[in-house]
Amino acid sequence: MDLISIVVVTYNSGKTVVETLDSIYKQTYQKLELIVSDDCSIDNTVDVVRKWIKTHKKRFVNVRLLKAKENHGVTKNCNIGIFQAKGKYVQIIAGDDLFMQNAIERKRDY
């Protein structure tokens, strides 16, 4: 089973990121790496993500929270997460989006 990295890109996603992370947690595909790349949020995004990771990290092969010291924009934030990924495949999702429960498994099998 191949490792698949999921990169969550966030910026001021404190109100929505838990739902995004929960949708990743519920994936039917098991061998997942979770990388959250935050683009210098000024809300509580980083604190919310830290708390969520503390409770849910055992589900993942690896978990990382990356915090930019200055805002770089969406493209660079995606690239920062991608370059840290160790998986054979990488899936990017925004901190206000959701996956269907079997999305990663279906994409891998496609």
Side-chain angles (χ1 to χ4, degrees):
M1 181 177 280
D2 295 318
L3 178 64
I4 296 177
S5 300
I6 300 178
V7 176
V8 181
V9 291
T10 60
Y11 177 71
N12 292 341
S13 306
K15 293 180 180 179
T16 58
V17 72
V18 168
E19 286 183 274
T20 302
L21 295 170
D22 285 345
S23 78
I24 297 167
Y25 183 86
K26 295 175 185 173
Q27 289 301 297
T28 54
Y29 191 83
Q30 291 302 304
K31 195 170 180 183
L32 297 175
E33 172 183 50
L34 176 65
I35 299 169
V36 179
S37 183
D38 185 73
D39 198 18
C40 198
S41 290
I42 57 173
D43 70 352
N44 65 339
T45 300
V46 172
D47 292 332
V48 168
V49 170
R50 273 193 189 119
K51 183 178 178 183
W52 189 93
I53 288 172
K54 187 175 182 180
T55 304
H56 298 88
K57 65 184 173 187
K58 290 181 182 178
R59 190 267 184 251
F60 301 96
V61 172
N62 185 35
V63 179
R64 285 198 195 134
L65 171 57
L66 311 171
K67 303 176 297 174
K69 293 182 180 176
E70 61 184 58
N71 186 272
H72 298 293
V74 175
T75 303
K76 188 166 183 179
N77 194 26
C78 289
N79 286 335
I80 289 168
I82 290 168
F83 288 126
Q84 293 295 315
K86 304 278 190 245
K88 181 174 182 180
Y89 304 104
V90 177
Q91 172 67 56
I92 298 172
I93 186 169
D96 61 354
D97 288 335
L98 302 172
F99 280 129
M100 293 177 59
Q101 190 173 11
N102 60 349
I104 298 299
E105 192 163 6
R106 290 183 70 194
K107 285 182 176 203
R108 188 223 40 203
D109 292 344
Y110 183 68

